[in-house]
Amino acid sequence: MAKKLGKKARKFARKHLQSAAKRNRKQRSQFARRPRRGGSGRGNERSGDGDEEMPQRANDIVMNNGDAAALVNGLEFPEDESELNSDLSDSDGYLSEDSECLYYSDSEDGNAVNDCFVQDGLDGENDKMNMEIKKQKKKLNKLMDKDPEFANYLEKWQSELKSYGSKEDSDEDEMDSVDNTADSSDENPSNDKILTRKTISEWCQLVAKEPKASSLRSLLNAYRDACRFGVSKSPSVQRIQSTEVFYQIITFVLSEADNIFRAHLEISDDVNKGKIMNLRSAKKWQTIEPLVKSYLQNSLDLLSQLTDNQILACVLTRLRASAVLFSAYPSTSRRLLKILIRLWASGDHNLSLSSFLMIREVASLLPECLDLCLNKSYNTYLASSKLVNEGNIKHIGFLTDCLVELYSLDVQKSCERATTSIGQLNAILRQACKTKEKEDLRKVDSWQYINCANLWVRFLCCNYKDYNMHPLLSSVVQIIRGVAHLFPGTRYLPLRLRLVQMLNELSSCSQMFFPIPSLLFDCLEFRDTSQKEQGQKAKVNFSSLLKVPKNLLKSRDFHEECILLAIDVLSAHFAQWCYHVSFPEVATIPLILLKRLHEQTTIESLRRHIKRLIDQVDENKNIVERKRDGVSFSPNDTTSVQSFVQDLQAEKSSGKISQFYKNVPKKLRDWL
């Protein structure tokens, strides 16, 4: 038993005693500073990339956990995660400074350096900790007065700890002497110079007057330290001792760096990637390249470490002007894209918009990075659309619009990816139809599956008129109809409404007719409700539902919502075909179903809405029939049919054909 206690005590000492912890930190720092053959320490080698890799790696773990359902469904595109850091591997961001560049202290201005410090609440926290320590000491003293044996026990252990600590301190002093010599050889020559407001202001004025001033290197070194401020504890970062200096450096460099580099390179604002690549062999580029590398690398570190969404959006807005400089380094642009896509998927709208604008800029300048951009953004979209609720439905709609715009940059390449993704959707649907097992059905009845199908519907609607996408259109329509028939019944009415709306959009862009009413009415199975059931009030929000809970099926609110949304979807369908020569045939079956629904519904307010729609469709049908009776051409005569449609559209200003259909679907647009 005594042996076991001794083992625990030794384990506790190794983990929790301050002397042991301090010794372990010193040993780790020695290993981190072990020099390479090239002369630079491993700590310096990691200073540029390590701070970014840790949060990025942590984000990848979170993203992978969120993508579990996507991996099961098999909807993700494979990604090439190989990082090419050769562009900036020969630099850690530090630049050799001119010895004539002066540093100023705030005391020369009459202000003490300590006046620059921004109190962020640490003093208050220290006061609270001191008060707690005093209270604990008082309790311990009272306990020692009451129990003399306990006091003797404490004195015995305190004497042993002091003897043990003195031995450890002697060993640590020797290690400190070795570490100090290593630190003095590895540190940058300007680490002992404090950056003050006066110093930064003087440098900014010199650089603003003359972009080629020697203080530019010192200012970029200060920017390097500012990008690690609050994260790294290296001596160079400790040169910045207030947040005021931090904001002063970041604001000036991000605002003026792009103009300074363009002045050095003598290039205009509309320069493209080709000219930048040609400049890389010029002498003036070789002179300015270390400065550009330092600025780009440190900016990436800043993006990886910032957590405030408002500041991140501001930084991205400033960096977007320098997107053409990133195009000179393809592997650095890939690293930038991965950071931007992570920020794009965040829930903050301003940050997502700023990130997307820069993603589009980089993808346009670098076609070789477009594959990574499309793969990473698509997989991130799947992870973000895993769960849909009232709070994030607008954000997912924004991500869909952004992704459609990115895929429209290169439609032919995107069509190949769309074919692959639609094939995956089709395979999942076939498996669910074959087995009818809950696990396979759950893969189809999921937001990831529906949002993925909606993405390709939107992509087709944007590009169908300009490109030959009929095979893709046919595949998507088959998937939509297959999902609709796989889930019958009133509980799946929200899912049906979304699928019917997708068919409406595809019909509008392709001018092809799809039998939408048959998909809609076969799930509207209503019966007469009792007075008790009609009185039930339960708020139903279809925007975040694919399947309605059973406890809401008998509520009056659900009944009303179903009828109103069905009217909206049918109105959108009729609005497209109301001027077509075949509208009487299109409206015949829906009119029969609407009249049957009018008879089944017992709620008077809904009966009025249905009756009004029936009357308008009947009137529209009669108008087209009267016009059609006066013509002699065949329906196969395409030219005559188009002329007939144009004549009907000319009468819409005086008729009531389109006004009703355009005013009804407001509720549907708000819902979707």
Side-chain angles (χ1 to χ4, degrees):
M1 193 69 179
K3 183 178 180 181
K4 186 175 181 181
L5 289 175
K7 184 177 180 181
K8 286 187 175 181
R10 288 194 301 272
K11 186 176 180 181
F12 179 83
R14 285 196 301 269
K15 285 189 175 181
H16 299 287
L17 287 183
Q18 294 182 358
S19 57
K22 187 175 180 181
R23 183 178 69 252
N24 292 336
R25 287 196 300 270
K26 291 295 183 182
Q27 290 175 352
R28 286 196 297 268
S29 64
Q30 274 191 331
F31 287 122
R33 283 192 291 269
R34 182 177 294 173
R36 296 186 303 171
R37 293 182 180 179
S40 60
R42 188 178 297 180
N44 290 338
E45 177 189 0
R46 282 182 167 179
S47 62
D49 294 333
D51 291 337
E52 188 274 336
E53 287 178 358
M54 290 301 294
Q56 181 68 24
R57 193 176 296 118
N59 179 73
D60 291 340
I61 293 173
V62 173
M63 187 64 70
N64 290 335
N65 290 335
D67 288 352
L71 290 171
V72 172
N73 289 355
L75 295 176
E76 281 194 335
F77 288 153
E79 296 181 15
D80 184 9
E81 293 293 340
S82 60
E83 283 285 348
L84 301 176
N85 293 324
S86 58
D87 287 342
L88 303 180
S89 61
D90 58 342
S91 172
D92 66 346
Y94 179 76
L95 302 168
S96 59
E97 298 182 6
D98 191 348
S99 59
E100 297 181 357
C101 190
L102 299 178
Y103 286 77
Y104 303 92
S105 65
D106 283 350
S107 58
E108 297 176 10
D109 250 352
N111 300 323
V113 175
N114 291 334
D115 293 339
C116 294
F117 296 174
V118 176
Q119 299 298 330
D120 55 357
L122 292 178
D123 292 340
E125 294 293 333
N126 291 335
D127 293 340
K128 292 180 181 179
M129 293 175 63
N130 290 331
M131 291 295 294
E132 292 293 332
I133 292 173
K134 289 179 181 179
K135 290 180 181 179
Q136 295 296 332
K137 283 184 177 180
K138 287 182 180 179
K139 292 181 181 180
L140 187 60
N141 291 332
K142 289 181 180 179
L143 183 60
M144 292 173 64
D145 294 339
K146 292 181 180 179
D147 192 351
E149 294 182 1
F150 177 70
N152 295 332
Y153 176 78
L154 286 180
E155 290 179 359
K156 177 183 176 181
W157 279 103
Q158 284 178 356
S159 60
E160 292 183 4
L161 285 174
K162 286 181 181 179
S163 61
Y164 178 77
S166 60
K167 181 180 179 181
E168 294 292 336
D169 290 340
S170 61
D171 296 337
E172 290 172 7
D173 291 339
E174 296 178 0
M175 297 171 66
D176 289 341
S177 61
V178 176
D179 289 339
N180 290 333
T181 57
D183 290 342
S184 61
S185 61
D186 288 343
E187 287 181 3
N188 295 329
S190 61
N191 287 347
D192 57 341
K193 299 177 181 178
I194 303 300
L195 296 174
T196 62
R197 287 176 295 178
K198 183 177 179 181
T199 301
I200 302 302
S201 298
E202 186 71 20
W203 289 351
C204 292
Q205 291 177 5
L206 292 174
V207 172
K209 292 179 181 178
E210 178 55 46
K212 298 182 180 180
S214 59
S215 55
L216 177 60
R217 287 177 171 266
S218 301
L219 190 59
L220 289 176
N221 283 336
Y223 178 68
R224 170 183 177 270
D225 297 338
C227 292
R228 294 161 175 78
F229 179 66
V231 177
S232 175
K233 295 184 178 179
S234 63
S236 63
V237 176
Q238 294 176 3
R239 296 197 301 158
I240 301 176
Q241 297 184 343
S242 73
T243 54
E244 292 179 357
V245 176
F246 166 80
Y247 285 120
Q248 187 180 10
I249 297 170
I250 293 295
T251 302
F252 180 82
V253 174
L254 288 176
S255 301
E256 302 297 333
D258 186 70
N259 295 330
I260 292 171
F261 294 145
R262 290 177 185 272
H264 274 277
L265 297 172
E266 299 177 355
I267 57 178
S268 59
D269 294 339
D270 58 348
V271 67
N272 55 18
K273 177 202 169 187
K275 189 171 183 179
I276 289 291
M277 299 304 290
N278 293 333
L279 279 174
R280 294 195 66 178
S281 59
K283 184 177 181 181
K284 55 185 177 182
W285 175 266
Q286 297 174 0
T287 304
I288 198 67
E289 186 175 18
L291 307 182
V292 175
K293 281 186 175 183
S294 176
Y295 171 67
L296 298 182
Q297 177 176 336
N298 295 323
S299 297
L300 292 183
D301 293 338
L302 181 64
L303 288 176
S304 300
Q305 294 164 7
L306 284 174
T307 57
D308 186 89
N309 292 337
Q310 188 175 0
I311 299 177
L312 276 169
C314 180
V315 171
L316 288 175
T317 302
R318 298 294 187 181
L319 280 179
R320 189 151 56 95
S322 303
V324 69
L325 297 178
F326 279 99
S327 66
Y329 305 99
S331 64
T332 307
S333 299
R334 295 185 180 185
R335 182 184 167 199
L336 171 65
L337 279 174
K338 291 187 176 183
I339 298 173
L340 291 175
I341 291 173
R342 173 175 57 85
L343 298 177
W344 167 67
S346 65
D348 187 85
H349 179 72
N350 292 331
L351 178 58
S352 298
L353 179 59
S354 301
S355 303
F356 169 71
L357 292 175
M358 193 163 184
I359 290 171
R360 186 181 62 182
E361 190 79 16
V362 175
S364 301
L365 290 170
L366 280 174
E368 59 268 25
C369 291
L370 186 60
D371 288 335
L372 172 67
C373 179
L374 297 181
N375 282 355
K376 194 74 176 177
S377 59
Y378 174 79
N379 294 340
T380 303
Y381 170 76
L382 287 180
S384 301
S385 62
K386 178 183 177 182
L387 297 175
V388 176
N389 50 48
E390 297 179 20
N392 67 351
I393 189 167
K394 290 185 178 179
H395 177 64
I396 292 176
F398 170 77
L399 295 182
T400 305
D401 294 337
C402 293
L403 201 54
V404 169
E405 187 169 347
L406 286 178
Y407 272 80
S408 299
L409 294 176
D410 190 339
V411 176
Q412 292 184 351
K413 182 179 293 186
S414 300
C415 283
E416 299 175 1
R417 299 176 183 276
T419 303
T420 302
S421 178
I422 293 170
Q424 294 170 351
L425 294 175
N426 203 2
I428 294 171
L429 179 61
R430 285 199 306 268
Q431 180 69 14
C433 293
K434 181 180 179 181
T435 63
K436 296 293 180 67
E437 295 182 358
K438 287 186 177 181
E439 184 178 353
D440 294 330
L441 292 175
R442 195 177 296 116
K443 293 178 182 179
V444 179
D445 180 24
S446 67
W447 279 111
Q448 281 183 323
Y449 191 96
I450 300 303
N451 285 328
C452 185
N454 183 54
L455 169 67
W456 300 123
V457 169
R458 302 285 294 278
F459 175 71
L460 285 168
C461 292
C462 289
N463 301 284
Y464 186 84
K465 294 181 179 179
D466 300 326
Y467 299 89
N468 182 18
M469 296 184 177
H470 186 72
L472 284 179
L473 177 68
S474 301
S475 301
V476 173
V477 171
Q478 288 178 0
I479 290 174
I480 293 174
R481 292 180 62 85
V483 174
H485 290 296
L486 186 60
F487 298 100
T490 309
R491 287 195 68 187
Y492 290 96
L493 182 61
L495 174 60
R496 282 290 185 98
L497 289 169
R498 291 186 176 275
L499 297 173
V500 169
Q501 180 62 17
M502 293 181 195
L503 288 179
N504 270 338
E505 295 177 2
L506 292 175
S507 178
S508 178
C509 74
S510 63
Q511 297 300 313
M512 296 176 63
F513 175 78
F514 302 120
I516 287 173
S518 62
L519 295 178
L520 182 63
F521 279 92
D522 62 350
C523 65
L524 292 176
E525 299 173 357
F526 295 112
R527 59 180 177 81
D528 292 337
T529 56
S530 63
Q531 293 291 80
K532 181 180 178 180
E533 291 172 347
Q534 287 186 11
Q536 291 179 356
K537 289 292 182 180
K539 185 177 180 181
V540 183
N541 188 358
F542 283 9
S543 62
S544 57
L545 292 178
L546 293 178
K547 182 171 64 173
V548 181
K550 290 183 179 180
N551 61 331
L552 298 179
L553 290 176
K554 297 181 180 180
S555 66
R556 176 170 177 170
D557 287 346
F558 172 71
H559 192 108
E560 293 179 354
E561 195 77 7
C562 289
I563 298 297
L564 293 176
L565 289 175
I567 292 174
D568 291 346
V569 172
L570 286 174
S571 298
H573 176 63
F574 292 145
Q576 180 184 353
W577 301 102
C578 62
Y579 297 110
H580 200 270
V581 67
S582 61
F583 183 77
E585 288 74 21
V586 170
T588 299
I589 295 178
L591 278 174
I592 296 174
L593 298 175
L594 283 171
K595 291 176 181 178
R596 183 185 304 171
L597 183 62
H598 182 264
E599 294 175 357
Q600 293 176 349
T601 305
T602 58
I603 303 175
E604 188 60 32
S605 60
L606 293 180
R607 289 173 61 88
R608 289 197 301 269
H609 285 290
I610 299 172
K611 186 64 168 64
R612 187 183 175 194
L613 179 60
I614 292 173
D615 293 341
Q616 292 293 333
V617 174
D618 233 340
E619 181 180 354
N620 191 170
K621 177 183 174 183
N622 294 333
I623 292 174
V624 176
E625 285 179 343
R626 287 197 301 269
K627 290 286 184 181
R628 198 167 64 176
D629 291 340
V631 299
S632 58
F633 58 83
S634 169
N636 295 329
D637 190 352
T638 307
T639 305
S640 300
V641 170
Q642 292 178 353
S643 177
F644 178 83
V645 172
Q646 292 175 0
D647 293 340
L648 279 177
Q649 289 178 346
E651 298 181 3
K652 69 179 179 180
S653 58
S654 59
K656 299 181 180 180
I657 296 179
S658 62
Q659 282 77 1
F660 176 77
Y661 300 138
K662 289 184 178 179
N663 294 332
V664 169
K666 292 181 180 179
K667 186 176 183 64
L668 182 66
R669 288 195 295 269
D670 295 339
W671 173 61
L672 294 175

